[in-house]
Amino acid sequence: MATTTTKIGFVGLGHMGGNMAARFLAAGYTVYGESRDRGDADELVHEGLQWRGTPREVAEAADVLITSLPDDDVLESVASGPDGILAGLGEAKIWVDMSTVSPRASRGLAERVQPLGAAMLDAPVSGSVPQVQAGTLTIMVGGDEQAYARVEPLLRELGTPTRIGENGQGLVLKLAINISLAVQMLAFAEGLVLAERAGIDPKLAVEVMTQSAIGSAMLKARAELVLDLPDEAWFDVGLMQKDVALALDTGRELRVPLPSAAAADSVLTIARASGYERRDLAALFQVLRDLTSDPVSPAA
């Protein structure tokens, strides 16, 4: 069972990974880390993170390795080669990948990890930076049950983990959740643009809409962002479309129609083309607002 003597390694110290590492440092764990941009780690090093030069060195130093990376290609690049994670894994080590990547790619890596005597778990999360900082992420885990039992106490530092099933199944459930994330945000944006066009104060509309039956925790959390889009995204449009595309690919593999995901994907494409790729998902309101013609009287 994991304790604070368990050595933790991080490859990927961006918004999510960096805040995860900070929580473990604050809890008294020994934490090693590596990132493509050393600048991501400067504050963490000041807080006690021990920098390593390559993913391999992090994997060699840690008992449990955690990755939080943007996509399949980056995950493969840090896993492979003489300086990659696989070269540093050994007997009894556990790799917990908290990225949102394709279930197929994750299962393929898990198969490459097994002969090394190590285990790999996919453990994507539902939640953004505020939930990482508060330790309230929802964590969906796929993979070996014994490996999960060993890392469950560690994951509880970050939120509420649940073992979903075999490798890849944590990711499938994460993609299922993110379909709803994109579609809810799009539907809310549509309704708000409609209300504003009819002459309703958008601040009042946001307040009433989020207090109504449609006011999910996600919409309530993003309410302030919709009308005052932050410079720094919690979860940007580009990453959201990446996840929706992964869901659509998985749907095709499983022969499951995903019509609302397809609709969200088309608007996310417009959002990226309009320059909102690195802005928060709440930007969908501004995207739809930009697409509307000049206001007309509701009675016209």
Side-chain angles (χ1 to χ4, degrees), residues 112-300:
R112 292 159 66 188
V113 166
Q114 190 173 11
L116 304 174
M120 180 180 176
L121 304 172
D122 53 286
V125 305
S126 180
S128 298
V129 171
Q131 288 74 37
V132 180
Q133 294 172 339
T136 57
L137 292 170
T138 298
I139 308 169
M140 294 143 281
V141 186
D144 180 74
E145 192 167 3
Q146 292 183 341
Y148 171 72
R150 285 178 55 197
V151 300
E152 182 185 11
L154 291 179
L155 296 179
R156 290 197 178 279
E157 293 283 350
L158 303 175
T160 303
T162 303
R163 181 177 178 267
I164 305 304
E166 300 306 316
N167 284 104
Q169 290 187 321
L171 281 162
V172 172
L173 190 56
K174 167 61 189 291
L175 296 177
I177 289 172
N178 273 16
I179 290 172
S180 188
L181 177 62
V183 171
Q184 282 186 60
M185 196 69 246
L186 176 57
F188 184 77
E190 287 181 9
L192 185 56
V193 170
L194 182 67
E196 183 183 49
R197 186 172 174 81
I200 299 170
D201 178 356
K203 291 183 179 180
L204 178 62
V206 167
E207 180 180 347
V208 174
M209 291 169 75
T210 54
Q211 294 303 315
S212 76
I214 69 167
S216 68
M218 186 277 293
L219 290 178
K220 288 178 179 179
R222 272 192 163 78
E224 293 184 7
L225 279 61
V226 172
L227 298 178
D228 186 15
L229 196 61
D231 291 331
E232 189 168 321
W234 290 359
F235 186 35
D236 71 42
V237 164
L239 288 175
M240 182 76 262
Q241 187 170 38
K242 181 263 296 182
D243 289 1
V244 171
L246 290 174
L248 289 168
D249 287 344
T250 302
R252 282 188 285 270
E253 289 176 14
L254 299 176
R255 299 182 181 180
V256 175
L258 303 175
S260 67
D265 184 53
S266 66
V267 179
L268 289 164
T269 296
I270 295 169
R272 292 178 66 189
S274 301
Y276 290 98
E277 182 169 6
R278 298 301 172 208
R279 306 302 296 274
D280 190 82
L281 179 62
L284 290 185
F285 167 64
Q286 189 61 51
V287 172
L288 294 182
R289 185 193 242 175
D290 293 346
L291 291 174
T292 57
S293 57
D294 292 336
V296 295
S297 168

Side-chain angles (χ1 to χ4, degrees), residues 56-102:
R56 175 178 181 164
E57 292 174 47
V58 177
E60 288 173 338
D63 301 312
V64 176
L65 174 73
I66 296 175
T67 45
S68 180
L69 302 164
D71 56 40
D72 289 18
D73 290 343
V74 176
L75 181 62
E76 176 63 29
S77 72
V78 302
S80 302
D83 290 326
I85 289 170
L86 294 172
L89 289 178
E91 194 73 31
K93 291 179 182 285
I94 299 176
W95 176 7
V96 182
D97 181 38
M98 306 189 79
S99 317
T100 301
V101 295
S102 71

